[in-house]
Amino acid sequence: MAELTGSLMLAFFIVFLGTPLVKRLAYRVNALDEPEARKVHTQEMPRLGGLAICMGFWATVILTQEMTRELYGLLAGGLLITLVGLFDDIKGVTPKTKLFVQLIAALLVMVAGVKVEFITHPFDEVIYLQYLAYPVTLLWIIGITNAVNLIDGLDGLAAGVCAIAAITLGVVAYLETSPEAAVLAFLLAASILGFLRYNFHPAKIFMGDTGSLFLGFNLSVIAIITMTKSTTVFSVILPVIILGIPIADTLFAIIRRYVGGKPIFAADKDHIHHRLLNMGLSHRGTVLSIYGLSIVLGVSAIIMASVTTAQGMLLMTALVLGFSIIAQKLGLLRSKKPQSQPNHAYQHNVAK
Protein backbone atom coordinates (compact mmCIF):
# COMPACT_ATOMS: atom_id res chain seq x y z
CA MET A 1 0.00 0.00 0.00
CA ALA A 2 2.82 2.40 0.87
CA GLU A 3 4.45 1.67 -2.50
CA LEU A 4 1.20 2.42 -4.34
CA THR A 5 0.73 5.64 -2.36
CA GLY A 6 4.22 6.76 -3.33
CA SER A 7 3.53 6.01 -7.00
CA LEU A 8 0.27 7.95 -6.90
CA MET A 9 1.95 10.95 -5.31
CA LEU A 10 4.73 10.81 -7.91
CA ALA A 11 2.22 10.84 -10.78
CA PHE A 12 0.23 13.67 -9.19
CA PHE A 13 3.19 15.95 -8.52
CA ILE A 14 4.89 15.36 -11.89
CA VAL A 15 1.73 16.67 -13.57
CA PHE A 16 1.04 19.34 -10.94
CA LEU A 17 4.54 20.79 -11.24
CA GLY A 18 4.87 20.11 -14.97
CA THR A 19 1.68 21.77 -16.16
CA PRO A 20 3.02 25.36 -15.77
CA LEU A 21 6.04 24.32 -17.86
CA VAL A 22 3.78 22.87 -20.52
CA LYS A 23 1.80 26.10 -20.46
CA ARG A 24 4.96 28.03 -21.33
CA LEU A 25 5.73 25.55 -24.09
CA ALA A 26 2.25 26.03 -25.55
CA TYR A 27 2.89 29.76 -25.93
CA ARG A 28 6.26 29.09 -27.56
CA VAL A 29 4.90 26.69 -30.19
CA ASN A 30 1.71 28.71 -30.63
CA ALA A 31 -0.58 25.91 -29.42
CA LEU A 32 -3.19 28.47 -28.49
CA ASP A 33 -6.94 28.74 -28.58
CA GLU A 34 -7.69 32.13 -30.05
CA PRO A 35 -10.82 34.08 -29.06
CA GLU A 36 -13.48 34.40 -31.73
CA ALA A 37 -17.15 35.26 -32.10
CA ARG A 38 -18.58 31.97 -30.82
CA LYS A 39 -16.26 31.88 -27.79
CA VAL A 40 -16.52 33.75 -24.55
CA HIS A 41 -12.90 33.91 -23.44
CA THR A 42 -11.33 37.18 -24.54
CA GLN A 43 -7.68 36.19 -24.48
CA GLU A 44 -5.73 33.38 -26.04
CA MET A 45 -5.55 30.19 -24.00
CA PRO A 46 -2.86 27.47 -24.16
CA ARG A 47 -4.30 24.10 -25.16
CA LEU A 48 -1.42 21.66 -24.72
CA GLY A 49 -2.19 20.65 -21.14
CA GLY A 50 -2.73 17.01 -22.01
CA LEU A 51 1.02 16.68 -22.54
CA ALA A 52 1.59 17.09 -18.80
CA ILE A 53 -0.86 14.26 -18.09
CA CYS A 54 0.92 12.03 -20.60
CA MET A 55 4.35 12.71 -19.13
CA GLY A 56 3.21 12.16 -15.55
CA PHE A 57 1.52 8.87 -16.36
CA TRP A 58 4.34 7.54 -18.55
CA ALA A 59 7.13 8.51 -16.14
CA THR A 60 5.40 6.90 -13.17
CA VAL A 61 4.54 3.70 -15.06
CA ILE A 62 8.09 3.30 -16.37
CA LEU A 63 9.70 4.05 -13.01
CA THR A 64 7.41 2.03 -10.76
CA GLN A 65 5.82 -0.81 -12.74
CA GLU A 66 7.18 -4.10 -14.01
CA MET A 67 7.08 -3.82 -17.79
CA THR A 68 5.02 -6.46 -19.58
CA ARG A 69 4.04 -7.02 -23.19
CA GLU A 70 0.62 -5.50 -22.54
CA LEU A 71 2.19 -2.46 -20.91
CA TYR A 72 4.57 -1.92 -23.82
CA GLY A 73 1.56 -2.02 -26.15
CA LEU A 74 -0.30 0.52 -24.02
CA LEU A 75 2.66 2.91 -23.96
CA ALA A 76 3.41 2.52 -27.68
CA GLY A 77 -0.19 3.11 -28.70
CA GLY A 78 -0.46 6.01 -26.27
CA LEU A 79 2.63 7.61 -27.80
CA LEU A 80 1.05 7.59 -31.26
CA ILE A 81 -2.17 9.03 -29.87
CA THR A 82 -0.23 11.76 -28.08
CA LEU A 83 1.74 12.69 -31.20
CA VAL A 84 -1.36 13.11 -33.36
CA GLY A 85 -2.96 15.12 -30.57
CA LEU A 86 0.08 17.38 -30.36
CA PHE A 87 0.08 18.01 -34.10
CA ASP A 88 -3.63 18.72 -33.99
CA ASP A 89 -3.27 21.22 -31.14
CA ILE A 90 -0.36 23.02 -32.81
CA LYS A 91 -0.99 22.84 -36.56
CA GLY A 92 -4.30 21.05 -37.03
CA VAL A 93 -4.90 17.50 -38.30
CA THR A 94 -7.70 16.20 -40.51
CA PRO A 95 -10.25 13.82 -38.93
CA LYS A 96 -9.17 11.07 -41.35
CA THR A 97 -5.56 11.36 -40.19
CA LYS A 98 -6.57 11.19 -36.54
CA LEU A 99 -8.74 8.15 -37.22
CA PHE A 100 -5.90 6.42 -39.10
CA VAL A 101 -3.46 6.98 -36.22
CA GLN A 102 -6.05 5.70 -33.75
CA LEU A 103 -6.39 2.57 -35.87
CA ILE A 104 -2.62 1.96 -35.83
CA ALA A 105 -2.49 2.58 -32.07
CA ALA A 106 -5.29 0.07 -31.51
CA LEU A 107 -3.50 -2.49 -33.68
CA LEU A 108 -0.33 -2.06 -31.61
CA VAL A 109 -2.30 -2.81 -28.48
CA MET A 110 -3.85 -5.91 -30.03
CA VAL A 111 -0.45 -7.17 -31.20
CA ALA A 112 0.61 -6.88 -27.57
CA GLY A 113 -2.19 -9.26 -26.63
CA VAL A 114 -4.87 -6.84 -25.43
CA LYS A 115 -8.17 -7.90 -27.03
CA VAL A 116 -11.82 -8.34 -26.11
CA GLU A 117 -11.70 -12.10 -26.51
CA PHE A 118 -15.04 -13.02 -24.96
CA ILE A 119 -18.29 -11.59 -23.72
CA THR A 120 -20.53 -12.77 -20.91
CA HIS A 121 -24.24 -12.51 -20.27
CA PRO A 122 -26.64 -13.02 -17.34
CA PHE A 123 -27.06 -16.73 -18.05
CA ASP A 124 -23.49 -17.31 -16.90
CA GLU A 125 -22.24 -18.40 -20.30
CA VAL A 126 -19.05 -17.19 -21.94
CA ILE A 127 -19.11 -16.48 -25.68
CA TYR A 128 -15.64 -16.50 -27.23
CA LEU A 129 -15.36 -14.01 -30.08
CA GLN A 130 -12.43 -15.66 -31.91
CA TYR A 131 -11.82 -13.63 -35.10
CA LEU A 132 -14.48 -11.11 -34.11
CA ALA A 133 -12.20 -10.10 -31.22
CA TYR A 134 -10.25 -7.82 -33.56
CA PRO A 135 -13.09 -5.67 -34.94
CA VAL A 136 -14.79 -5.54 -31.53
CA THR A 137 -11.56 -4.34 -29.90
CA LEU A 138 -10.99 -1.76 -32.63
CA LEU A 139 -14.54 -0.45 -32.27
CA TRP A 140 -14.20 -0.19 -28.47
CA ILE A 141 -10.83 1.60 -28.44
CA ILE A 142 -11.60 4.03 -31.26
CA GLY A 143 -15.13 4.61 -29.97
CA ILE A 144 -14.09 5.45 -26.40
CA THR A 145 -11.12 7.55 -27.58
CA ASN A 146 -13.41 9.78 -29.63
CA ALA A 147 -16.25 9.76 -27.09
CA VAL A 148 -13.99 11.34 -24.47
CA ASN A 149 -12.84 13.87 -27.07
CA LEU A 150 -16.47 14.84 -27.70
CA ILE A 151 -17.25 15.65 -24.06
CA ASP A 152 -14.24 17.95 -23.73
CA GLY A 153 -16.48 20.98 -24.03
CA LEU A 154 -16.24 22.83 -20.70
CA ASP A 155 -13.45 23.68 -18.28
CA GLY A 156 -12.63 20.60 -16.25
CA LEU A 157 -15.42 18.47 -17.71
CA ALA A 158 -13.50 15.75 -19.56
CA ALA A 159 -10.70 15.70 -16.98
CA GLY A 160 -13.08 15.28 -14.06
CA VAL A 161 -15.26 12.67 -15.74
CA CYS A 162 -12.15 10.69 -16.76
CA ALA A 163 -10.70 10.91 -13.24
CA ILE A 164 -13.93 9.52 -11.78
CA ALA A 165 -14.01 6.79 -14.43
CA ALA A 166 -10.36 5.88 -13.80
CA ILE A 167 -10.86 5.63 -10.03
CA THR A 168 -13.97 3.49 -10.52
CA LEU A 169 -12.20 1.30 -13.06
CA GLY A 170 -9.36 0.84 -10.57
CA VAL A 171 -11.73 -0.28 -7.81
CA VAL A 172 -13.58 -2.66 -10.14
CA ALA A 173 -10.30 -4.07 -11.46
CA TYR A 174 -9.18 -4.71 -7.89
CA LEU A 175 -12.47 -6.47 -7.09
CA GLU A 176 -12.12 -8.49 -10.30
CA THR A 177 -8.65 -9.67 -9.16
CA SER A 178 -6.76 -7.62 -11.74
CA PRO A 179 -4.28 -5.65 -9.59
CA GLU A 180 -2.10 -4.63 -12.57
CA ALA A 181 -5.02 -2.93 -14.30
CA ALA A 182 -6.12 -1.40 -10.99
CA VAL A 183 -2.73 0.25 -10.45
CA LEU A 184 -2.69 1.61 -14.02
CA ALA A 185 -6.16 3.09 -13.54
CA PHE A 186 -5.23 4.72 -10.22
CA LEU A 187 -2.01 6.16 -11.70
CA LEU A 188 -4.00 7.63 -14.58
CA ALA A 189 -6.47 9.15 -12.11
CA ALA A 190 -3.64 10.68 -10.06
CA SER A 191 -2.16 12.20 -13.22
CA ILE A 192 -5.51 13.72 -14.18
CA LEU A 193 -6.05 15.18 -10.70
CA GLY A 194 -2.65 16.85 -10.89
CA PHE A 195 -3.84 18.65 -14.02
CA LEU A 196 -7.38 19.42 -12.87
CA ARG A 197 -6.08 22.10 -10.51
CA TYR A 198 -5.28 24.20 -13.60
CA ASN A 199 -8.20 23.08 -15.78
CA PHE A 200 -11.22 23.53 -13.52
CA HIS A 201 -13.28 26.66 -14.21
CA PRO A 202 -11.94 29.23 -14.75
CA ALA A 203 -9.31 27.21 -16.61
CA LYS A 204 -5.73 28.42 -16.96
CA ILE A 205 -4.95 25.83 -19.63
CA PHE A 206 -6.94 23.42 -21.82
CA MET A 207 -5.96 19.78 -22.24
CA GLY A 208 -6.56 19.91 -26.00
CA ASP A 209 -6.83 16.85 -28.20
CA THR A 210 -3.47 15.77 -26.77
CA GLY A 211 -5.21 15.15 -23.46
CA SER A 212 -8.70 14.05 -24.45
CA LEU A 213 -7.51 11.49 -27.02
CA PHE A 214 -4.84 10.19 -24.63
CA LEU A 215 -7.31 9.75 -21.77
CA GLY A 216 -9.92 8.04 -23.94
CA PHE A 217 -7.34 5.67 -25.38
CA ASN A 218 -5.86 4.69 -22.02
CA LEU A 219 -9.22 4.23 -20.32
CA SER A 220 -10.41 2.00 -23.16
CA VAL A 221 -7.30 -0.20 -23.05
CA ILE A 222 -7.19 -0.47 -19.25
CA ALA A 223 -10.86 -1.49 -19.34
CA ILE A 224 -10.02 -4.30 -21.78
CA ILE A 225 -7.16 -5.50 -19.57
CA THR A 226 -9.63 -5.62 -16.68
CA MET A 227 -12.19 -7.55 -18.75
CA THR A 228 -9.68 -10.18 -19.86
CA LYS A 229 -8.93 -11.08 -16.24
CA SER A 230 -12.54 -11.85 -15.38
CA THR A 231 -15.34 -14.07 -16.65
CA THR A 232 -18.02 -12.74 -14.31
CA VAL A 233 -21.45 -11.96 -15.73
CA PHE A 234 -20.92 -8.19 -15.87
CA SER A 235 -17.27 -8.13 -16.95
CA VAL A 236 -18.16 -6.52 -20.30
CA ILE A 237 -21.03 -4.38 -19.04
CA LEU A 238 -19.11 -2.71 -16.19
CA PRO A 239 -16.71 -0.66 -18.37
CA VAL A 240 -19.71 0.55 -20.40
CA ILE A 241 -21.38 1.77 -17.21
CA ILE A 242 -18.16 3.34 -15.88
CA LEU A 243 -17.70 5.26 -19.12
CA GLY A 244 -21.43 5.87 -19.41
CA ILE A 245 -21.29 9.66 -19.75
CA PRO A 246 -19.09 9.86 -22.89
CA ILE A 247 -20.70 6.73 -24.36
CA ALA A 248 -24.27 7.97 -23.84
CA ASP A 249 -23.47 11.50 -25.05
CA THR A 250 -21.90 10.12 -28.23
CA LEU A 251 -24.76 7.68 -28.81
CA PHE A 252 -27.36 10.41 -28.33
CA ALA A 253 -25.46 12.66 -30.74
CA ILE A 254 -25.38 9.98 -33.44
CA ILE A 255 -29.11 9.25 -33.07
CA ARG A 256 -29.98 12.95 -32.94
CA ARG A 257 -28.04 13.80 -36.08
CA TYR A 258 -29.29 10.77 -37.98
CA VAL A 259 -32.93 11.47 -37.14
CA GLY A 260 -32.42 15.15 -37.96
CA GLY A 261 -30.94 14.32 -41.34
CA LYS A 262 -27.55 15.77 -40.46
CA PRO A 263 -24.12 14.20 -41.04
CA ILE A 264 -23.26 11.97 -38.06
CA PHE A 265 -19.90 13.68 -37.60
CA ALA A 266 -21.28 17.23 -37.87
CA ALA A 267 -20.68 19.44 -34.85
CA ASP A 268 -23.63 20.72 -32.86
CA LYS A 269 -24.43 22.37 -29.54
CA ASP A 270 -26.88 19.79 -28.27
CA HIS A 271 -24.63 17.73 -25.99
CA ILE A 272 -25.44 17.10 -22.34
CA HIS A 273 -23.40 20.05 -21.11
CA HIS A 274 -24.98 22.40 -23.66
CA ARG A 275 -28.48 21.42 -22.57
CA LEU A 276 -27.67 21.89 -18.89
CA LEU A 277 -26.22 25.33 -19.60
CA ASN A 278 -29.33 26.28 -21.58
CA MET A 279 -31.43 25.25 -18.58
CA GLY A 280 -29.75 28.05 -16.63
CA LEU A 281 -27.04 26.18 -14.74
CA SER A 282 -23.73 27.99 -14.30
CA HIS A 283 -20.53 26.71 -15.86
CA ARG A 284 -19.42 25.14 -12.58
CA GLY A 285 -22.92 23.91 -11.83
CA THR A 286 -23.09 22.10 -15.16
CA VAL A 287 -19.71 20.46 -14.70
CA LEU A 288 -20.45 19.44 -11.10
CA SER A 289 -23.83 18.01 -12.16
CA ILE A 290 -22.15 15.79 -14.74
CA TYR A 291 -19.55 14.82 -12.14
CA GLY A 292 -22.46 13.75 -9.97
CA LEU A 293 -23.88 11.57 -12.74
CA SER A 294 -20.45 10.02 -13.26
CA ILE A 295 -20.16 9.22 -9.56
CA VAL A 296 -23.61 7.58 -9.58
CA LEU A 297 -22.54 5.41 -12.52
CA GLY A 298 -19.22 4.60 -10.84
CA VAL A 299 -20.80 3.57 -7.55
CA SER A 300 -23.35 1.50 -9.46
CA ALA A 301 -20.58 -0.32 -11.32
CA ILE A 302 -18.78 -1.10 -8.05
CA ILE A 303 -22.01 -2.42 -6.53
CA MET A 304 -22.70 -4.57 -9.61
CA ALA A 305 -19.23 -6.10 -9.28
CA SER A 306 -20.11 -7.20 -5.74
CA VAL A 307 -23.74 -8.41 -5.88
CA THR A 308 -25.64 -11.33 -7.35
CA THR A 309 -26.62 -11.53 -11.00
CA ALA A 310 -30.28 -10.79 -10.27
CA GLN A 311 -29.42 -7.76 -8.15
CA GLY A 312 -27.01 -6.51 -10.81
CA MET A 313 -29.63 -6.84 -13.53
CA LEU A 314 -32.12 -4.92 -11.42
CA LEU A 315 -29.63 -2.10 -10.88
CA MET A 316 -28.69 -2.03 -14.57
CA THR A 317 -32.37 -1.77 -15.53
CA ALA A 318 -32.78 1.16 -13.14
CA LEU A 319 -29.76 2.90 -14.68
CA VAL A 320 -31.09 2.48 -18.22
CA LEU A 321 -34.50 3.84 -17.21
CA GLY A 322 -32.90 6.72 -15.34
CA PHE A 323 -30.75 7.72 -18.27
CA SER A 324 -33.71 7.45 -20.64
CA ILE A 325 -35.70 9.85 -18.45
CA ILE A 326 -32.77 12.30 -18.27
CA ALA A 327 -32.28 12.13 -22.04
CA GLN A 328 -35.99 12.81 -22.58
CA LYS A 329 -36.07 15.71 -20.11
CA LEU A 330 -33.00 17.33 -21.65
CA GLY A 331 -34.13 16.65 -25.22
CA LEU A 332 -30.85 14.93 -26.08
CA LEU A 333 -32.43 12.96 -28.93
CA ARG A 334 -33.63 16.00 -30.83
CA SER A 335 -31.84 19.02 -32.21
CA LYS A 336 -32.61 22.39 -30.76
CA LYS A 337 -33.01 25.55 -32.78
CA PRO A 338 -30.12 27.99 -32.38
CA GLN A 339 -30.65 30.64 -29.74
CA SER A 340 -28.61 33.23 -27.94
CA GLN A 341 -25.96 31.68 -25.76
CA PRO A 342 -26.01 32.17 -22.00
CA ASN A 343 -23.08 34.05 -20.50
CA HIS A 344 -20.93 31.02 -19.72
CA ALA A 345 -17.30 30.41 -20.57
CA TYR A 346 -17.33 27.66 -23.16
CA GLN A 347 -14.09 25.85 -23.82
CA HIS A 348 -12.31 25.85 -27.18
CA ASN A 349 -14.23 22.94 -28.65
CA VAL A 350 -17.69 23.73 -27.32
CA ALA A 351 -19.27 22.94 -30.67
CA LYS A 352 -18.31 19.29 -30.51
Side-chain angles (χ1 to χ4, degrees):
M1 181 59 72
E3 184 178 347
L4 176 59
T5 301
S7 298
L8 295 176
M9 291 181 64
L10 178 62
F12 176 88
F13 280 108
I14 288 177
V15 180
F16 183 77
L17 298 175
T19 299
L21 301 178
V22 170
K23 183 178 178 180
R24 294 180 189 175
L25 176 64
Y27 279 107
R28 284 193 176 186
V29 299
N30 201 36
L32 304 172
D33 190 80
E34 301 290 346
E36 57 181 58
R38 68 179 179 84
K39 301 173 184 177
V40 174
H41 64 272
T42 57
Q43 59 184 8
E44 57 187 12
M45 287 285 289
R47 60 182 179 194
L48 211 61
L51 182 60
I53 301 175
C54 303
M55 299 306 294
F57 180 70
W58 285 336
T60 307
V61 167
I62 293 171
L63 291 173
T64 66
Q65 301 303 302
E66 180 180 350
M67 298 303 294
T68 62
R69 187 181 177 188
E70 291 179 341
L71 204 46
Y72 280 120
L74 175 67
L75 296 179
L79 177 60
L80 283 181
I81 292 294
T82 300
L83 289 176
V84 74
L86 282 171
F87 277 107
D88 193 36
D89 288 334
I90 298 172
K91 296 293 185 181
V93 175
T94 65
K96 288 184 179 180
T97 301
K98 284 195 285 188
L99 184 61
F100 177 74
V101 174
Q102 291 169 24
L103 174 64
I104 299 301
L107 289 174
L108 285 175
V109 169
M110 287 191 288
V111 168
V114 180
K115 298 188 294 292
V116 183
E117 299 188 60
F118 59 84
I119 59 175
T120 55
H121 57 76
F123 298 103
D124 291 330
E125 293 184 8
V126 178
I127 301 175
Y128 290 94
L129 298 177
Q130 298 181 347
Y131 292 112
L132 288 176
Y134 295 95
V136 169
T137 302
L138 279 175
L139 180 62
W140 171 258
I141 293 177
I142 293 175
I144 296 301
T145 299
N146 287 284
V148 171
N149 183 243
L150 282 177
I151 67 165
D152 185 23
L154 295 177
D155 296 352
L157 179 57
V161 168
C162 287
I164 294 168
I167 292 170
T168 306
L169 192 56
V171 174
V172 170
Y174 179 79
L175 294 174
E176 297 287 340
T177 65
S178 181
E180 300 88 356
V183 171
L184 290 175
F186 289 141
L187 290 178
L188 186 62
S191 301
I192 299 169
L193 292 175
F195 173 73
L196 195 55
R197 162 66 179 79
Y198 304 95
N199 186 235
F200 195 71
H201 184 70
K204 298 177 177 64
I205 185 171
F206 299 153
M207 71 164 62
D209 277 10
T210 305
S212 59
L213 295 176
F214 178 82
L215 292 181
F217 176 81
N218 279 275
L219 285 171
S220 67
V221 176
I222 294 172
I224 296 174
I225 295 174
T226 302
M227 285 188 280
T228 60
K229 307 297 182 183
S230 172
T231 56
T232 59
V233 173
F234 298 108
S235 62
V236 175
I237 297 174
L238 291 180
V240 176
I241 294 175
I242 294 169
L243 295 164
I245 295 295
I247 290 175
D249 195 38
T250 301
L251 181 61
F252 292 148
I254 291 173
I255 295 174
R256 180 174 64 245
R257 293 165 188 172
Y258 178 79
V259 172
K262 299 178 180 179
I264 290 178
F265 297 104
D268 62 29
K269 294 184 179 181
D270 294 310
H271 291 278
I272 294 175
H273 53 277
H274 296 127
R275 293 307 177 94
L276 290 174
L277 284 168
N278 289 331
M279 287 176 60
L281 289 181
S282 66
H283 192 127
R284 287 195 178 198
T286 297
V287 172
L288 291 175
S289 296
I290 297 176
Y291 283 3
L293 286 174
S294 297
I295 291 172
V296 169
L297 291 174
V299 171
S300 299
I302 293 171
I303 293 174
M304 288 178 65
S306 310
V307 299
T308 65
T309 300
Q311 292 170 329
M313 288 297 296
L314 184 62
L315 180 55
M316 186 174 68
T317 301
L319 289 174
V320 172
L321 289 174
F323 250 82
S324 299
I325 293 173
I326 292 173
Q328 182 66 29
K329 292 291 185 181
L330 295 179
L332 294 173
L333 294 177
R334 63 179 184 274
S335 297
K336 198 168 187 178
K337 292 182 179 180
Q339 53 181 269
S340 60
Q341 294 293 342
N343 187 26
H344 299 299
Y346 284 82
Q347 206 181 64
H348 69 287
N349 53 354
V350 70
K352 285 181 179 177

